PDB file of all heavy atoms in Angstrom:
ATOM      1  N   VAL A   6     -22.816  99.766 142.863  1.00  0.00           N
ATOM      2  CA  VAL A   6     -22.674  98.236 142.711  1.00  0.00           C
ATOM      3  C   VAL A   6     -23.703  97.840 141.562  1.00  0.00           C
ATOM      4  O   VAL A   6     -24.862  98.358 141.529  1.00  0.00           O
ATOM      5  CB  VAL A   6     -23.031  97.565 144.003  1.00  0.00           C
ATOM      6  CG1 VAL A   6     -22.972  96.062 143.805  1.00  0.00           C
ATOM      7  CG2 VAL A   6     -22.145  98.108 145.149  1.00  0.00           C
ATOM      8  N   ALA A  35     -26.283 111.066 139.215  1.00  0.00           N
ATOM      9  CA  ALA A  35     -27.613 111.813 139.266  1.00  0.00           C
ATOM     10  C   ALA A  35     -27.815 112.384 140.659  1.00  0.00           C
ATOM     11  O   ALA A  35     -28.468 113.570 140.640  1.00  0.00           O
ATOM     12  CB  ALA A  35     -28.689 110.757 138.979  1.00  0.00           C
ATOM     13  N   ASP A  52     -30.530 111.794 152.205  1.00  0.00           N
ATOM     14  CA  ASP A  52     -31.406 111.715 153.377  1.00  0.00           C
ATOM     15  C   ASP A  52     -32.930 111.858 153.034  1.00  0.00           C
ATOM     16  O   ASP A  52     -33.792 111.173 153.468  1.00  0.00           O
ATOM     17  CB  ASP A  52     -31.082 112.782 154.514  1.00  0.00           C
ATOM     18  CG  ASP A  52     -29.778 112.386 155.207  1.00  0.00           C
ATOM     19  OD1 ASP A  52     -29.272 111.213 155.101  1.00  0.00           O
ATOM     20  OD2 ASP A  52     -29.289 113.249 155.883  1.00  0.00           O
ATOM     21  N   GLY A  57     -32.910 101.812 151.927  1.00  0.00           N
ATOM     22  CA  GLY A  57     -33.745 100.593 151.961  1.00  0.00           C
ATOM     23  C   GLY A  57     -32.900  99.390 152.304  1.00  0.00           C
ATOM     24  O   GLY A  57     -32.166  99.368 153.305  1.00  0.00           O
ATOM     25  N   GLU A  68     -17.312  89.208 143.527  1.00  0.00           N
ATOM     26  CA  GLU A  68     -17.987  88.728 142.391  1.00  0.00           C
ATOM     27  C   GLU A  68     -17.800  89.755 141.170  1.00  0.00           C
ATOM     28  O   GLU A  68     -18.348  89.422 140.123  1.00  0.00           O
ATOM     29  CB  GLU A  68     -19.477  88.637 142.708  1.00  0.00           C
ATOM     30  CG  GLU A  68     -19.731  87.470 143.661  1.00  0.00           C
ATOM     31  CD  GLU A  68     -21.289  87.403 143.999  1.00  0.00           C
ATOM     32  OE1 GLU A  68     -21.961  88.307 143.553  1.00  0.00           O
ATOM     33  OE2 GLU A  68     -21.670  86.386 144.710  1.00  0.00           O
ATOM     34  N   GLY A  87      -4.432 114.927 137.062  1.00  0.00           N
ATOM     35  CA  GLY A  87      -3.769 114.935 138.347  1.00  0.00           C
ATOM     36  C   GLY A  87      -2.637 115.927 138.418  1.00  0.00           C
ATOM     37  O   GLY A  87      -2.339 116.719 137.590  1.00  0.00           O
ATOM     38  N   THR A 115      17.307 120.753 139.032  1.00  0.00           N
ATOM     39  CA  THR A 115      16.434 120.141 137.961  1.00  0.00           C
ATOM     40  C   THR A 115      15.142 120.874 137.990  1.00  0.00           C
ATOM     41  O   THR A 115      14.708 121.544 138.797  1.00  0.00           O
ATOM     42  CB  THR A 115      16.219 118.697 138.216  1.00  0.00           C
ATOM     43  OG1 THR A 115      15.457 118.531 139.400  1.00  0.00           O
ATOM     44  CG2 THR A 115      17.551 117.861 138.363  1.00  0.00           C
ATOM     45  N   GLU A 134      -5.266 134.856 148.924  1.00  0.00           N
ATOM     46  CA  GLU A 134      -4.204 134.945 147.962  1.00  0.00           C
ATOM     47  C   GLU A 134      -4.098 133.770 147.014  1.00  0.00           C
ATOM     48  O   GLU A 134      -4.718 132.801 147.343  1.00  0.00           O
ATOM     49  CB  GLU A 134      -2.878 134.990 148.825  1.00  0.00           C
ATOM     50  CG  GLU A 134      -2.713 136.130 149.637  1.00  0.00           C
ATOM     51  CD  GLU A 134      -1.345 136.178 150.495  1.00  0.00           C
ATOM     52  OE1 GLU A 134      -0.602 135.211 150.310  1.00  0.00           O
ATOM     53  OE2 GLU A 134      -1.038 137.237 151.168  1.00  0.00           O
ATOM     54  N   GLU A 164       6.862 100.606 128.654  1.00  0.00           N
ATOM     55  CA  GLU A 164       8.125 100.142 129.262  1.00  0.00           C
ATOM     56  C   GLU A 164       7.951  99.506 130.647  1.00  0.00           C
ATOM     57  O   GLU A 164       8.650  98.674 131.176  1.00  0.00           O
ATOM     58  CB  GLU A 164       9.233 101.260 129.351  1.00  0.00           C
ATOM     59  CG  GLU A 164       9.632 101.823 128.031  1.00  0.00           C
ATOM     60  CD  GLU A 164      10.417 100.764 127.111  1.00  0.00           C
ATOM     61  OE1 GLU A 164      11.032  99.981 127.902  1.00  0.00           O
ATOM     62  OE2 GLU A 164      10.399 100.879 125.940  1.00  0.00           O
ATOM     63  N   SER A 179     -21.967 122.121 138.194  1.00  0.00           N
ATOM     64  CA  SER A 179     -23.384 122.523 138.160  1.00  0.00           C
ATOM     65  C   SER A 179     -23.821 123.046 136.848  1.00  0.00           C
ATOM     66  O   SER A 179     -22.954 123.439 136.009  1.00  0.00           O
ATOM     67  CB  SER A 179     -23.662 123.366 139.262  1.00  0.00           C
ATOM     68  OG  SER A 179     -23.281 124.655 139.006  1.00  0.00           O
ATOM     69  N   TYR A 185     -18.480 121.515 142.148  1.00  0.00           N
ATOM     70  CA  TYR A 185     -18.802 120.959 143.503  1.00  0.00           C
ATOM     71  C   TYR A 185     -18.036 119.672 143.851  1.00  0.00           C
ATOM     72  O   TYR A 185     -18.034 118.832 142.990  1.00  0.00           O
ATOM     73  CB  TYR A 185     -20.338 120.702 143.566  1.00  0.00           C
ATOM     74  CG  TYR A 185     -21.151 122.017 143.716  1.00  0.00           C
ATOM     75  CD1 TYR A 185     -21.576 122.604 142.662  1.00  0.00           C
ATOM     76  CD2 TYR A 185     -21.404 122.538 145.044  1.00  0.00           C
ATOM     77  CE1 TYR A 185     -22.321 123.896 142.794  1.00  0.00           C
ATOM     78  CE2 TYR A 185     -22.367 123.597 145.181  1.00  0.00           C
ATOM     79  CZ  TYR A 185     -22.661 124.326 144.017  1.00  0.00           C
ATOM     80  OH  TYR A 185     -23.469 125.486 144.246  1.00  0.00           O
ATOM     81  N   ASN A 193      -5.508 104.837 142.201  1.00  0.00           N
ATOM     82  CA  ASN A 193      -4.252 104.233 141.682  1.00  0.00           C
ATOM     83  C   ASN A 193      -4.021 104.985 140.418  1.00  0.00           C
ATOM     84  O   ASN A 193      -4.707 104.631 139.304  1.00  0.00           O
ATOM     85  CB  ASN A 193      -4.404 102.686 141.499  1.00  0.00           C
ATOM     86  CG  ASN A 193      -3.038 102.077 140.993  1.00  0.00           C
ATOM     87  OD1 ASN A 193      -2.180 102.750 140.608  1.00  0.00           O
ATOM     88  ND2 ASN A 193      -2.977 100.793 141.071  1.00  0.00           N
ATOM     89  N   HIS A 198       6.485 104.511 134.731  1.00  0.00           N
ATOM     90  CA  HIS A 198       7.744 105.252 135.426  1.00  0.00           C
ATOM     91  C   HIS A 198       8.996 105.080 134.608  1.00  0.00           C
ATOM     92  O   HIS A 198       9.758 105.992 134.643  1.00  0.00           O
ATOM     93  CB  HIS A 198       7.818 104.777 136.811  1.00  0.00           C
ATOM     94  CG  HIS A 198       6.627 104.995 137.612  1.00  0.00           C
ATOM     95  ND1 HIS A 198       5.796 103.960 137.954  1.00  0.00           N
ATOM     96  CD2 HIS A 198       5.922 106.110 137.995  1.00  0.00           C
ATOM     97  CE1 HIS A 198       4.760 104.397 138.627  1.00  0.00           C
ATOM     98  NE2 HIS A 198       4.811 105.678 138.772  1.00  0.00           N
ATOM     99  N   TYR A 205      12.130 113.867 131.115  1.00  0.00           N
ATOM    100  CA  TYR A 205      10.958 114.323 131.774  1.00  0.00           C
ATOM    101  C   TYR A 205       9.973 114.929 130.854  1.00  0.00           C
ATOM    102  O   TYR A 205       8.766 114.980 131.151  1.00  0.00           O
ATOM    103  CB  TYR A 205      11.361 115.567 132.763  1.00  0.00           C
ATOM    104  CG  TYR A 205      10.321 116.019 133.626  1.00  0.00           C
ATOM    105  CD1 TYR A 205       9.974 115.282 134.731  1.00  0.00           C
ATOM    106  CD2 TYR A 205       9.746 117.252 133.429  1.00  0.00           C
ATOM    107  CE1 TYR A 205       8.965 115.717 135.606  1.00  0.00           C
ATOM    108  CE2 TYR A 205       8.755 117.727 134.281  1.00  0.00           C
ATOM    109  CZ  TYR A 205       8.330 116.903 135.360  1.00  0.00           C
ATOM    110  OH  TYR A 205       7.323 117.294 136.194  1.00  0.00           O
ATOM    111  N   SER A 217      -7.598 103.793 138.315  1.00  0.00           N
ATOM    112  CA  SER A 217      -8.834 103.284 139.117  1.00  0.00           C
ATOM    113  C   SER A 217      -8.941 104.082 140.364  1.00  0.00           C
ATOM    114  O   SER A 217      -7.878 104.661 140.863  1.00  0.00           O
ATOM    115  CB  SER A 217      -8.577 101.770 139.368  1.00  0.00           C
ATOM    116  OG  SER A 217      -9.741 101.130 140.023  1.00  0.00           O
ATOM    117  N   PRO A 228      -9.326 114.239 155.842  1.00  0.00           N
ATOM    118  CA  PRO A 228      -8.586 114.582 157.025  1.00  0.00           C
ATOM    119  C   PRO A 228      -7.245 115.217 156.669  1.00  0.00           C
ATOM    120  O   PRO A 228      -6.710 115.029 155.511  1.00  0.00           O
ATOM    121  CB  PRO A 228      -8.288 113.054 157.549  1.00  0.00           C
ATOM    122  CG  PRO A 228      -9.347 112.257 156.936  1.00  0.00           C
ATOM    123  CD  PRO A 228      -9.687 112.975 155.598  1.00  0.00           C
ATOM    124  N   ARG A 232      -3.217 108.297 156.361  1.00  0.00           N
ATOM    125  CA  ARG A 232      -2.190 107.271 156.412  1.00  0.00           C
ATOM    126  C   ARG A 232      -2.782 105.994 155.829  1.00  0.00           C
ATOM    127  O   ARG A 232      -3.883 105.567 156.268  1.00  0.00           O
ATOM    128  CB  ARG A 232      -1.687 106.989 157.871  1.00  0.00           C
ATOM    129  CG  ARG A 232      -0.973 108.252 158.415  1.00  0.00           C
ATOM    130  CD  ARG A 232      -0.731 108.207 159.876  1.00  0.00           C
ATOM    131  NE  ARG A 232      -0.064 109.573 160.370  1.00  0.00           N
ATOM    132  CZ  ARG A 232       1.278 109.640 160.478  1.00  0.00           C
ATOM    133  NH1 ARG A 232       2.075 108.573 160.280  1.00  0.00           N
ATOM    134  NH2 ARG A 232       1.803 110.787 160.779  1.00  0.00           N
ATOM    135  N   LEU A 250       1.594 108.475 152.806  1.00  0.00           N
ATOM    136  CA  LEU A 250       0.982 109.584 153.537  1.00  0.00           C
ATOM    137  C   LEU A 250       0.355 110.522 152.602  1.00  0.00           C
ATOM    138  O   LEU A 250       0.811 110.706 151.448  1.00  0.00           O
ATOM    139  CB  LEU A 250       2.007 110.257 154.405  1.00  0.00           C
ATOM    140  CG  LEU A 250       2.851 109.559 155.418  1.00  0.00           C
ATOM    141  CD1 LEU A 250       3.985 110.413 156.021  1.00  0.00           C
ATOM    142  CD2 LEU A 250       1.991 108.961 156.571  1.00  0.00           C
ATOM    143  N   SER A 251      -0.750 111.116 152.970  1.00  0.00           N
ATOM    144  CA  SER A 251      -1.408 112.187 152.189  1.00  0.00           C
ATOM    145  C   SER A 251      -2.181 113.070 153.089  1.00  0.00           C
ATOM    146  O   SER A 251      -1.854 113.003 154.295  1.00  0.00           O
ATOM    147  CB  SER A 251      -2.273 111.529 151.122  1.00  0.00           C
ATOM    148  OG  SER A 251      -2.647 112.583 150.234  1.00  0.00           O
ATOM    149  N   PRO A 276     -20.780 122.647 132.351  1.00  0.00           N
ATOM    150  CA  PRO A 276     -21.911 122.078 133.163  1.00  0.00           C
ATOM    151  C   PRO A 276     -22.108 120.522 132.815  1.00  0.00           C
ATOM    152  O   PRO A 276     -22.170 120.212 131.680  1.00  0.00           O
ATOM    153  CB  PRO A 276     -23.112 122.913 132.629  1.00  0.00           C
ATOM    154  CG  PRO A 276     -22.556 124.247 132.366  1.00  0.00           C
ATOM    155  CD  PRO A 276     -21.204 123.911 131.697  1.00  0.00           C
ATOM    156  N   THR A 297       7.082  95.354 138.018  1.00  0.00           N
ATOM    157  CA  THR A 297       5.787  94.581 138.036  1.00  0.00           C
ATOM    158  C   THR A 297       5.691  93.591 136.964  1.00  0.00           C
ATOM    159  O   THR A 297       6.384  93.718 135.860  1.00  0.00           O
ATOM    160  CB  THR A 297       4.622  95.555 137.979  1.00  0.00           C
ATOM    161  OG1 THR A 297       4.652  96.324 136.772  1.00  0.00           O
ATOM    162  CG2 THR A 297       4.512  96.449 139.192  1.00  0.00           C
ATOM    163  N   VAL A 302      -1.124  91.976 141.661  1.00  0.00           N
ATOM    164  CA  VAL A 302      -2.299  92.740 142.119  1.00  0.00           C
ATOM    165  C   VAL A 302      -1.796  93.948 142.860  1.00  0.00           C
ATOM    166  O   VAL A 302      -1.161  93.848 143.851  1.00  0.00           O
ATOM    167  CB  VAL A 302      -3.216  91.829 142.902  1.00  0.00           C
ATOM    168  CG1 VAL A 302      -4.490  92.652 143.420  1.00  0.00           C
ATOM    169  CG2 VAL A 302      -3.732  90.649 142.088  1.00  0.00           C
ATOM    170  N   ALA A 307      -6.748 103.030 152.717  1.00  0.00           N
ATOM    171  CA  ALA A 307      -6.630 104.069 153.864  1.00  0.00           C
ATOM    172  C   ALA A 307      -7.929 103.894 154.555  1.00  0.00           C
ATOM    173  O   ALA A 307      -8.985 103.967 154.097  1.00  0.00           O
ATOM    174  CB  ALA A 307      -6.512 105.455 153.258  1.00  0.00           C
ATOM    175  N   ASN A 316      -6.696  96.075 141.989  1.00  0.00           N
ATOM    176  CA  ASN A 316      -6.625  95.946 140.555  1.00  0.00           C
ATOM    177  C   ASN A 316      -5.486  94.974 140.102  1.00  0.00           C
ATOM    178  O   ASN A 316      -4.354  95.203 140.453  1.00  0.00           O
ATOM    179  CB  ASN A 316      -6.537  97.215 139.795  1.00  0.00           C
ATOM    180  CG  ASN A 316      -7.580  98.245 140.131  1.00  0.00           C
ATOM    181  OD1 ASN A 316      -7.383  99.037 140.997  1.00  0.00           O
ATOM    182  ND2 ASN A 316      -8.750  98.143 139.428  1.00  0.00           N
ATOM    183  N   LEU A 331      -8.559 109.636 104.181  1.00  0.00           N
ATOM    184  CA  LEU A 331     -10.076 109.795 103.689  1.00  0.00           C
ATOM    185  C   LEU A 331      -9.984 110.329 102.282  1.00  0.00           C
ATOM    186  O   LEU A 331      -9.210 111.130 102.013  1.00  0.00           O
ATOM    187  CB  LEU A 331     -10.888 110.648 104.705  1.00  0.00           C
ATOM    188  CG  LEU A 331     -11.148 109.959 105.948  1.00  0.00           C
ATOM    189  CD1 LEU A 331     -11.879 111.020 106.925  1.00  0.00           C
ATOM    190  CD2 LEU A 331     -11.992 108.818 105.798  1.00  0.00           C
TER     191      LEU A 331
END
Side-chain angles (χ1 to χ4, degrees):
V6 179
D52 288 345
E68 294 176 352
T115 64
E134 296 181 357
E164 297 290 332
S179 76
Y185 282 88
N193 185 345
H198 303 105
Y205 192 71
S217 188
R232 296 169 183 263
L250 302 175
S251 192
T297 56
V302 176
N316 300 94
L331 289 175

